Amino acid sequence: MLTIDIARKIIAAGEARAHGIGVPANIAVLDAGTSLKAFARMDGVLLGSIDITLGKARTAALFGKRTEAIGEFCKPGGTSPGLEQTNGGLVVFARGLPLIDAGGSLIGAVGVSGGAVAQDLDIAEAAVAALGN
Amino acid sequence: MLTIDIARKIIAAGEARAHGIGVPANIAVLDAGTSLKAFARMDGVLLGSIDITLGKARTAALFGKRTEAIGEFCKPGGTSPGLEQTNGGLVVFARGLPLIDAGGSLIGAVGVSGGAVAQDLDIAEAAVAALGN
Amino acid sequence: MLTIDIARKIIAAGEARAHGIGVPANIAVLDAGTSLKAFARMDGVLLGSIDITLGKARTAALFGKRTEAIGEFCKPGGTSPGLEQTNGGLVVFARGLPLIDAGGSLIGAVGVSGGAVAQDLDIAEAAVAALGN
Amino acid sequence: MLTIDIARKIIAAGEARAHGIGVPANIAVLDAGTSLKAFARMDGVLLGSIDITLGKARTAALFGKRTEAIGEFCKPGGTSPGLEQTNGGLVVFARGLPLIDAGGSLIGAVGVSGGAVAQDLDIAEAAVAALGN
């Protein structure tokens, strides 16, 4: 189960990585029911990325998958055109990641936004690694 | 100006007080433009209070006043009936507080929700006190 | 018909009065179809009053009446309870004023928000007087 | 920081250019937090362009970039498909421009709509040039 202590560790790990690569980012942690657990916007992040961060985390929590994997379903030629319009609107580009506990259960999701896609990836991977599985 | 370090100090101070009185709460910190800066949901808080927390902080940031002072304007017989319906819906009960810096400028707002009104007050006052003015 | 020149004169007259009484305000001018024609937010106005200003002007344009007159219809005991919920939400407290041309036709509306009710009134009356009827 | 005097100079410069090329336009100026500061709709502009004008300015303020640069991210094959659906809906075609002060800080944005894309560009460039950096 996702606790505030875990959420805080995830954000701290993501921020440490963001500092390391010199890219400010938002990090959002949602629980398995898609409710907001913790959020931090580092100094210098553009305001437009707040909603994107929350949307990535929400999308990953709703489907238990990385957002870009969900993007595969709805891209031209994919199996589920228009999927991104469901659930009040999804964010289907990187970097939202599901949080899976040691027993394999989905306990929430993390969203990261602020830099380029590869940078957000870097930060999100570091954040999720704090789960310690 | 509101930095993530200040926002984190505000949340930490609020949480310490919440632990002290044994009441879990959400604490949201918004900047002066009403954009989310940081948020934490302590373990055990009811989900319905997340939106309330954000709404209190947003209302206090929009008007630079405590939410309950805004409630005075729109209560029966007040000067501005229906004010609570503006701005996409306000939350006009305690406890949203404006963040005023040492120079008297509005730099954001804090919202607290989770306990009874008096408990939320306690936590919010402790949170804002971390600003150190 | 409401031109941008007239709208600008209305805003300038309102701002002059606002400067005169030392109260910053927003002034919005809408046409008879409720579409935005011109808007100015003086320095120091709280952000929450932007939506209120637009809402007052829209309400006055929709009904061709001062907003507080519309408020009479929907107050407890009035003829039209819930009127304020129609049209996507009305603002039924002072100060939105209809703009009536010399021939008696409704050509738009002005909304003012920023100060206390009496101050907003003062500014709005000065603004509308610039129509010169 | 964006003052009403600066906003008015920006609009005046844009309108002068619009008159010069014989194309009426809307010009919107927003602050860095995306709140409306000033707006003018010249006579003869189609009503549908009001929302577009505001949307362009809001999009440029949210991301600190020209709207068409944001459009690059979400076009087919771009890094962020569906980006235009975030933040309640973005306007990702020309011409919304960020306002950057002499120190390099984002202080707001301008949106222009009314003519063809190249005409809106002309007007928007003239408007932003009034900042004088």
Side-chain angles (χ1 to χ4, degrees):
Chain A
M1 196 182 133
L2 182 70
T3 64
I4 184 66
D5 286 341
I6 295 175
R8 203 127 35 200
K9 274 173 55 181
I10 289 169
I11 289 180
E15 285 187 342
R17 185 72 187 143
H19 279 299
I21 62 174
V23 175
N26 299 317
I27 305 176
V29 181
L30 271 55
D31 67 21
T34 77
S35 290
L36 186 61
K37 189 69 184 173
F39 175 88
R41 170 161 54 100
M42 292 171 68
D43 300 326
V45 180
L46 294 166
L47 297 183
S49 65
I50 300 171
D51 185 63
I52 294 173
T53 307
L54 295 169
K56 286 174 179 175
R58 184 170 161 274
T59 300
L62 282 169
F63 292 94
K65 287 188 177 54
R66 290 169 173 246
T67 44
E68 64 271 31
I70 299 160
E72 291 296 308
F73 294 116
C74 45
K75 71 180 185 185
T79 58
S80 311
L83 176 67
E84 75 278 11
Q85 304 289 354
T86 67
N87 290 281
L90 301 173
V91 177
V92 296
F93 51 92
R95 185 59 56 176
L97 273 72
L99 289 168
I100 314 286
D101 71 11
S105 297
L106 178 68
I107 60 168
V110 172
V112 171
S113 191
V117 166
Q119 294 167 324
D120 287 352
L121 166 63
D122 221 19
I123 298 167
E125 298 282 7
V128 170
L131 252 187
N133 319 328
Chain B
M1 197 182 133
L2 183 71
T3 63
I4 184 67
D5 286 342
I6 295 176
R8 206 135 23 209
K9 275 175 53 183
I10 288 169
I11 289 180
E15 286 187 341
R17 184 71 186 146
H19 279 300
I21 62 174
V23 174
N26 299 317
I27 305 176
V29 181
L30 272 55
D31 67 23
T34 77
S35 289
L36 186 60
K37 189 69 185 173
F39 175 88
R41 171 161 53 100
M42 293 170 68
D43 300 327
V45 180
L46 294 166
L47 296 184
S49 66
I50 299 172
D51 185 61
I52 294 173
T53 306
L54 295 169
K56 286 174 178 174
R58 184 170 161 274
T59 299
L62 282 170
F63 292 94
K65 286 186 179 56
R66 290 171 173 244
T67 45
E68 63 272 28
I70 299 160
E72 290 297 307
F73 295 116
C74 46
K75 72 180 184 184
T79 57
S80 309
L83 177 66
E84 74 278 10
Q85 306 287 356
T86 66
N87 289 282
L90 302 172
V91 178
V92 296
F93 52 92
R95 186 57 57 175
L97 272 74
L99 289 169
I100 314 286
D101 71 12
S105 296
L106 179 68
I107 59 168
V110 172
V112 171
S113 192
V117 167
Q119 294 167 324
D120 287 352
L121 166 62
D122 222 17
I123 298 166
E125 297 283 7
V128 170
L131 251 189
N133 316 330
Chain C
M1 197 183 133
L2 181 72
T3 63
I4 184 65
D5 285 342
I6 294 175
R8 204 129 34 202
K9 274 173 54 181
I10 288 169
I11 289 179
E15 286 187 342
R17 184 71 187 145
H19 278 299
I21 62 174
V23 176
N26 299 318
I27 305 177
V29 181
L30 272 55
D31 67 22
T34 77
S35 289
L36 186 61
K37 187 70 184 173
F39 176 87
R41 171 163 50 104
M42 293 171 68
D43 300 328
V45 180
L46 294 166
L47 296 184
S49 66
I50 300 172
D51 185 62
I52 295 173
T53 306
L54 295 169
K56 286 175 178 174
R58 184 170 161 274
T59 300
L62 282 169
F63 292 95
K65 287 188 177 54
R66 289 170 173 245
T67 45
E68 63 271 30
I70 299 160
E72 291 297 308
F73 295 115
C74 47
K75 71 180 184 184
T79 57
S80 310
L83 176 66
E84 76 278 9
Q85 304 288 354
T86 66
N87 290 282
L90 302 174
V91 177
V92 297
F93 51 92
R95 185 62 51 178
L97 273 73
L99 288 168
I100 314 287
D101 70 11
S105 296
L106 178 69
I107 60 168
V110 173
V112 172
S113 192
V117 165
Q119 294 167 324
D120 287 352
L121 166 62
D122 222 18
I123 298 166
E125 299 282 7
V128 170
L131 251 188
N133 317 329
Chain D
M1 196 183 136
L2 182 71
T3 63
I4 184 65
D5 285 342
I6 294 174
R8 202 128 34 202
K9 273 174 55 182
I10 289 168
I11 289 180
E15 286 187 341
R17 185 71 187 148
H19 279 300
I21 61 173
V23 176
N26 299 317
I27 305 175
V29 181
L30 270 57
D31 67 23
T34 77
S35 290
L36 185 61
K37 189 68 184 175
F39 176 87
R41 170 162 53 101
M42 292 171 69
D43 301 326
V45 180
L46 294 167
L47 296 184
S49 65
I50 300 172
D51 184 61
I52 294 172
T53 307
L54 295 168
K56 286 174 180 174
R58 183 171 162 273
T59 300
L62 281 170
F63 292 95
K65 286 186 179 58
R66 291 172 172 243
T67 45
E68 63 271 30
I70 299 159
E72 290 297 307
F73 295 115
C74 46
K75 70 180 185 185
T79 58
S80 310
L83 176 67
E84 75 278 10
Q85 305 287 354
T86 67
N87 289 282
L90 301 174
V91 178
V92 296
F93 52 92
R95 185 56 60 170
L97 273 71
L99 289 168
I100 314 287
D101 71 11
S105 296
L106 179 68
I107 59 168
V110 173
V112 171
S113 192
V117 166
Q119 294 167 325
D120 287 352
L121 166 62
D122 220 17
I123 298 167
E125 298 282 9
V128 170
L131 252 188
N133 318 332

